[in-house]
Amino acid sequence: MSQEARLHQAVEGGGTSVIGLASYTWRKAATSLTNIESALRHAAPSMESDLGGQTGSSAREAFLTLADRVNQRASEMTKASAALTSASAALSHAEQVRAELGSAPSAPTPPQHLDPTDTATNMKAESRFHQQSQQHAAVMAGREAKAQ
């Protein structure tokens, strides 16, 4: 499969807007978790003083442990959001390249119905076909390079 065909296949069905929305959603959720973490850390000391004794100390530790876990999850969600943003940018670039490439040019048609008695005309037709084939191959090679 050519690079250009792979590019078309990769871009088909992709949706930069869907990926972008997912990235935004994950980033927003990470922000919410960061706010929850902050609230837990802020509330932990008052849990100890309000409840007192072993219960207060245990509650404070539980709040801080939960805050650590929430922070880890927020970090994972932030990384996921960044990965989705990168994927969206890569897909957007691939869509742009595909649009710039447009449709592939048709391959030249070999000469047909040559007159076996007219060698000069046949040679010119074969030469023209060979030159067109080389030009087509060069254009296609350029398209392949751009599709990579």
Side-chain angles (χ1 to χ4, degrees):
M1 179 183 288
S2 71
Q3 283 300 116
E4 186 173 351
R6 285 187 183 104
L7 173 69
H8 284 282
Q9 185 178 36
V11 172
E12 276 309 307
T16 55
S17 61
V18 172
I19 296 170
L21 177 61
S23 174
Y24 169 78
T25 302
W26 281 74
R27 186 174 50 253
K28 188 170 175 140
T31 300
S32 295
L33 287 177
T34 300
N35 292 338
I36 291 168
E37 177 212 1
S38 178
L40 288 167
R41 290 197 190 284
H42 181 73
S46 63
M47 292 303 293
E48 186 170 26
S49 62
D50 290 350
L51 297 175
Q54 183 60 37
T55 302
S57 181
S58 294
R60 180 182 61 78
E61 286 303 314
F63 271 52
L64 292 175
T65 299
L66 182 56
D68 287 342
R69 289 183 182 157
V70 168
N71 180 49
Q72 288 172 351
R73 186 56 51 125
S75 177
E76 291 168 0
M77 293 183 91
T78 298
K79 290 175 186 173
S81 173
L84 287 165
T85 297
S86 293
S88 179
L91 182 57
S92 179
H93 175 72
E95 287 173 343
Q96 179 183 355
V97 169
R98 181 177 74 165
E100 289 172 3
L101 287 174
S103 298
S106 300
T109 306
Q112 298 185 10
H113 308 296
L114 299 176
D115 180 357
T117 61
D118 191 355
T119 308
T121 302
N122 292 347
M123 288 180 62
K124 286 179 186 175
E126 289 292 335
S127 175
R128 187 171 41 255
F129 172 70
H130 180 71
Q131 182 181 13
Q132 290 170 343
S133 294
Q134 287 179 327
Q135 289 171 344
H136 182 262
V139 167
M140 293 306 290
R143 291 173 67 87
E144 284 295 297
K146 192 168 188 176
Q148 285 184 332

